[in-house]
Amino acid sequence: NADGSCRGYGFVNFLEPCAAKRAVEELNGKEVTPGKKLHVSKAQTRDERRKMPSFFDEAKLDHQFREFGSVASVQIAKDKGQNLGFAIVRLCSLDSAYTAAM
């Protein structure tokens, strides 16, 4: 965040596929602070991701994800106002995020 606080997520690129595989194997599920576990997984290519329908807006996504728990924020990726077919949805709890991802 602009104030220097952690948003609770990050992205890491590895030069070697074996290093990325090792990170997933060793760090996924690791407790970093009491009650806070890491979720580490391979990034999906555009072809692997399910494309979000172009008619979805922030309100529709917020409604869709509320079944998993409280939604902190929804941001649809856009270029010059055009929906790019994906979004970032932040849920308020790690358990909600795990449930939504499964």
Side-chain angles (χ1 to χ4, degrees):
N1 288 327
D3 66 359
S5 64
C6 178
R7 296 186 104 183
Y9 63 88
F11 300 93
V12 179
N13 290 316
F14 292 89
L15 293 176
E16 300 293 329
C18 62
K21 183 176 186 247
R22 184 172 163 217
V24 171
E25 291 170 352
E26 293 183 15
L27 298 175
N28 190 42
K30 183 177 181 175
E31 191 168 40
V32 290
T33 59
K36 299 283 184 179
K37 292 182 181 180
L38 292 175
H39 172 74
V40 181
S41 63
K42 176 190 171 292
Q44 295 178 326
T45 66
R46 286 181 189 233
D47 291 337
E48 292 172 322
R49 292 188 294 248
R50 285 177 273 165
K51 191 164 177 142
M52 181 182 71
S54 61
F55 62 86
F56 270 38
D57 60 14
E58 281 85 355
K60 176 76 172 166
L61 282 173
D62 184 276
H63 178 74
Q64 292 282 97
F65 278 86
R66 287 216 179 266
E67 74 177 83
F68 303 109
S70 296
V71 175
S73 66
V74 176
Q75 183 179 5
I76 294 177
K78 296 180 181 179
D79 182 30
K80 299 177 184 168
Q82 180 71 26
N83 177 335
L84 294 177
F86 69 95
I88 296 174
V89 178
R90 289 181 53 229
L91 296 164
C92 291
S93 79
L94 186 58
D95 287 340
S96 296
Y98 277 131
T99 302
M102 295 302 157

